[in-house]
Coordinates of all heavy atoms in Angstrom, one line a residue:
G1 N 10.1 6.7 15.6 CA 10.3 7.5 14.4 C 9.3 7.1 13.3 O 8.9 8.0 12.5
C2 N 9.0 5.8 13.3 CA 8.0 5.4 12.3 C 6.6 6.1 12.5 O 6.0 6.6 11.5 CB 7.7 3.9 12.4 SG 9.2 2.9 12.0
W3 N 6.2 6.3 13.7 CA 5.0 7.0 14.1 C 5.1 8.4 13.7 O 4.1 9.0 13.2 CB 4.6 6.8 15.5 CG 4.2 5.4 15.9 CD1 5.0 4.4 16.3 CD2 2.9 4.8 15.7 NE1 4.2 3.2 16.5 CE2 3.0 3.5 16.2 CE3 1.7 5.3 15.3 CZ2 1.8 2.7 16.2 CZ3 0.5 4.5 15.3 CH2 0.6 3.2 15.7
V4 N 6.2 9.1 14.1 CA 6.3 10.5 13.9 C 6.4 10.8 12.4 O 5.7 11.8 11.9 CB 7.6 11.0 14.5 CG1 7.9 12.5 14.1 CG2 7.5 10.9 16.0
L5 N 7.1 10.0 11.6 CA 7.1 10.2 10.2 C 5.8 10.0 9.5 O 5.4 10.9 8.7 CB 8.1 9.2 9.5 CG 8.3 9.3 8.0 CD1 8.9 10.6 7.6 CD2 9.3 8.2 7.6
T6 N 5.0 9.0 9.9 CA 3.7 8.8 9.3 C 2.7 9.9 9.7 O 2.0 10.4 8.9 CB 3.1 7.4 9.8 OG1 4.1 6.4 9.5 CG2 1.8 7.1 9.0
W7 N 2.8 10.3 11.0 CA 1.9 11.4 11.5 C 2.2 12.7 10.8 O 1.3 13.4 10.4 CB 2.1 11.5 13.0 CG 1.4 12.7 13.6 CD1 0.1 12.7 13.9 CD2 1.9 14.0 13.8 NE1 -0.3 14.0 14.4 CE2 0.8 14.8 14.4 CE3 3.2 14.6 13.7 CZ2 1.0 16.1 14.7 CZ3 3.3 15.9 14.1 CH2 2.3 16.6 14.6
S8 N 3.5 13.0 10.5 CA 3.9 14.2 9.9 C 3.3 14.3 8.4 O 2.8 15.3 8.0 CB 5.4 14.4 9.9 OG 5.9 14.4 11.2
M9 N 3.5 13.2 7.7 CA 3.0 13.2 6.3 C 1.5 13.2 6.3 O 0.9 14.0 5.5 CB 3.5 11.9 5.6 CG 5.0 11.8 5.4 SD 5.5 10.6 4.3 CE 4.9 9.1 5.1
S10 N 0.8 12.4 7.1 CA -0.7 12.4 7.1 C -1.2 13.7 7.6 O -2.3 14.2 7.0 CB -1.2 11.3 8.0 OG -0.7 10.0 7.6
S11 N -0.6 14.4 8.5 CA -1.1 15.7 9.1 C -1.1 16.8 8.0 O -2.1 17.6 7.9 CB -0.3 16.1 10.3 OG -0.5 15.2 11.3
S12 N -0.1 16.9 7.2 CA 0.0 17.9 6.2 C -1.2 17.7 5.2 O -1.8 18.7 4.7 CB 1.3 17.9 5.5 OG 1.5 16.6 4.8
E13 N -1.5 16.5 4.8 CA -2.6 16.2 3.9 C -3.9 16.4 4.6 O -4.8 17.0 4.0 CB -2.5 14.7 3.5 CG -3.4 14.4 2.3 CD -3.2 12.9 1.9 OE1 -2.2 12.3 2.3 OE2 -4.1 12.5 1.1
F14 N -4.0 16.1 5.9 CA -5.2 16.3 6.6 C -5.6 17.8 6.8 O -6.8 18.2 6.6 CB -5.1 15.6 8.0 CG -6.2 15.8 9.0 CD1 -7.4 15.2 8.8 CD2 -6.1 16.7 10.0 CE1 -8.5 15.3 9.6 CE2 -7.2 16.9 10.9 CZ -8.4 16.2 10.7
I15 N -4.6 18.6 7.0 CA -4.8 20.0 7.2 C -5.4 20.6 5.9 O -6.3 21.5 5.9 CB -3.5 20.8 7.5 CG1 -3.1 20.4 9.0 CG2 -3.6 22.3 7.4 CD1 -1.7 20.8 9.3
L16 N -5.0 20.1 4.7 CA -5.5 20.5 3.4 C -6.9 20.1 3.2 O -7.8 20.8 2.8 CB -4.6 20.0 2.3 CG -5.0 20.4 0.9 CD1 -4.9 21.9 0.7 CD2 -4.0 19.7 -0.1
I17 N -7.2 18.8 3.6 CA -8.5 18.2 3.3 C -9.6 18.8 4.2 O -10.7 19.0 3.7 CB -8.5 16.7 3.5 CG1 -7.6 16.1 2.4 CG2 -9.8 16.1 3.4 CD1 -7.3 14.6 2.6
I18 N -9.3 19.2 5.4 CA -10.4 19.7 6.3 C -10.9 21.1 5.8 O -11.9 21.6 6.2 CB -9.9 19.9 7.7 CG1 -8.7 20.8 7.8 CG2 -9.6 18.5 8.3 CD1 -8.2 21.0 9.3
Q19 N -10.2 21.7 4.8 CA -10.6 23.0 4.3 C -11.5 22.8 3.1 O -12.0 23.8 2.5 CB -9.4 23.8 3.9 CG -8.4 24.1 5.1 CD -7.2 24.9 4.7 OE1 -7.3 26.0 4.1 NE2 -6.0 24.4 5.0
F20 N -11.7 21.6 2.6 CA -12.5 21.3 1.4 C -14.0 21.6 1.7 O -14.4 21.4 2.8 CB -12.3 19.9 0.9 CG -11.0 19.6 0.3 CD1 -10.6 18.3 -0.1 CD2 -10.1 20.6 0.0 CE1 -9.4 18.1 -0.7 CE2 -8.9 20.4 -0.6 CZ -8.5 19.1 -1.0
Q21 N -14.7 22.0 0.6 CA -16.1 22.1 0.7 C -16.8 20.8 0.2 O -16.4 20.2 -0.7 CB -16.6 23.3 -0.1 CG -16.1 24.7 0.4 CD -16.8 25.1 1.6 OE1 -18.0 24.8 1.8 NE2 -16.1 25.8 2.5
F22 N -17.9 20.5 0.9 CA -18.7 19.3 0.5 C -20.1 19.8 0.3 O -20.9 20.1 1.3 CB -18.6 18.2 1.6 CG -17.3 17.6 1.7 CD1 -16.3 18.2 2.5 CD2 -17.0 16.5 1.0 CE1 -15.1 17.6 2.6 CE2 -15.7 15.9 1.1 CZ -14.8 16.5 1.9
C23 N -20.5 19.9 -1.0 CA -21.9 20.4 -1.3 C -22.5 19.4 -2.3 O -21.9 18.9 -3.2 CB -21.8 21.7 -2.0 SG -20.8 23.0 -1.1
G24 N -23.8 19.0 -2.0 CA -24.5 18.1 -2.9 C -24.5 16.7 -2.4 O -25.0 16.4 -1.4
P25 N -23.9 15.8 -3.2 CA -24.0 14.4 -2.9 C -23.3 14.1 -1.5 O -22.3 14.7 -1.2 CB -23.2 13.7 -4.0 CG -23.2 14.7 -5.1 CD -23.2 16.0 -4.5
S26 N -23.9 13.1 -0.8 CA -23.4 12.8 0.5 C -23.3 11.3 0.8 O -23.2 10.9 1.9 CB -24.3 13.4 1.6 OG -25.6 12.9 1.5
V27 N -23.4 10.5 -0.3 CA -23.4 9.1 -0.2 C -22.1 8.4 -0.7 O -21.6 8.8 -1.7 CB -24.6 8.5 -1.0 CG1 -24.6 6.9 -0.9 CG2 -25.9 9.0 -0.5
I28 N -21.6 7.5 0.2 CA -20.4 6.8 -0.2 C -20.8 5.3 -0.2 O -21.3 4.8 0.8 CB -19.2 7.0 0.8 CG1 -18.7 8.4 0.7 CG2 -18.1 6.0 0.6 CD1 -17.6 8.7 1.7
Y29 N -20.5 4.6 -1.3 CA -20.8 3.2 -1.4 C -19.6 2.4 -0.9 O -19.0 1.7 -1.7 CB -21.2 2.8 -2.8 CG -22.5 3.4 -3.3 CD1 -22.5 4.7 -3.8 CD2 -23.7 2.7 -3.2 CE1 -23.7 5.3 -4.2 CE2 -24.9 3.3 -3.6 CZ -24.9 4.6 -4.1 OH -26.0 5.2 -4.5
Y30 N -19.3 2.5 0.4 CA -18.1 1.9 0.9 C -18.4 1.7 2.4 O -19.3 2.1 3.0 CB -16.9 2.9 0.8 CG -15.6 2.2 0.4 CD1 -15.6 1.4 -0.8 CD2 -14.5 2.3 1.1 CE1 -14.4 0.8 -1.2 CE2 -13.3 1.7 0.8 CZ -13.3 0.9 -0.4 OH -12.1 0.3 -0.7
F31 N -17.5 0.9 3.1 CA -17.6 0.6 4.5 C -17.1 1.6 5.4 O -17.5 1.7 6.6 CB -16.9 -0.7 4.8 CG -17.6 -2.0 4.3 CD1 -16.9 -2.7 3.3 CD2 -18.8 -2.4 4.7 CE1 -17.5 -3.9 2.8 CE2 -19.4 -3.5 4.2 CZ -18.8 -4.3 3.3
F32 N -16.2 2.5 4.9 CA -15.6 3.5 5.7 C -15.2 4.7 4.8 O -15.3 4.6 3.6 CB -14.5 3.0 6.5 CG -13.3 2.5 5.7 CD1 -12.2 3.4 5.5 CD2 -13.3 1.2 5.2 CE1 -11.1 2.9 4.7 CE2 -12.2 0.8 4.4 CZ -11.1 1.7 4.2
C33 N -14.7 5.7 5.4 CA -14.3 6.9 4.7 C -12.9 6.7 4.2 O -11.9 7.1 4.9 CB -14.4 8.1 5.6 SG -16.1 8.5 6.1
D34 N -12.7 6.3 3.0 CA -11.4 6.1 2.3 C -11.2 7.4 1.5 O -12.1 8.1 1.1 CB -11.4 4.9 1.5 CG -10.0 4.4 1.2 OD1 -9.0 5.1 1.7 OD2 -9.8 3.4 0.5
F35 N -9.9 7.6 1.1 CA -9.5 8.8 0.4 C -10.3 9.0 -0.9 O -10.9 10.1 -1.2 CB -8.0 8.8 0.1 CG -7.5 10.0 -0.6 CD1 -7.2 11.1 0.1 CD2 -7.3 10.0 -2.0 CE1 -6.7 12.3 -0.5 CE2 -6.8 11.1 -2.6 CZ -6.5 12.3 -1.9
G36 N -10.3 8.0 -1.8 CA -11.0 8.2 -3.1 C -12.4 8.5 -3.1 O -12.8 9.6 -3.7
P37 N -13.2 7.8 -2.3 CA -14.7 8.1 -2.2 C -14.9 9.5 -1.6 O -15.8 10.2 -2.1 CB -15.2 7.0 -1.4 CG -14.3 5.9 -1.6 CD -13.0 6.5 -1.8

């Protein structure tokens, strides 16, 4: 249930984010792709 609950919450956010446009800057000063950057 812990996995299903986390997957459900993350997936709804993920579905929204994959529709975003990325134009212009492409550099992240970080080790990995975190939400803020």
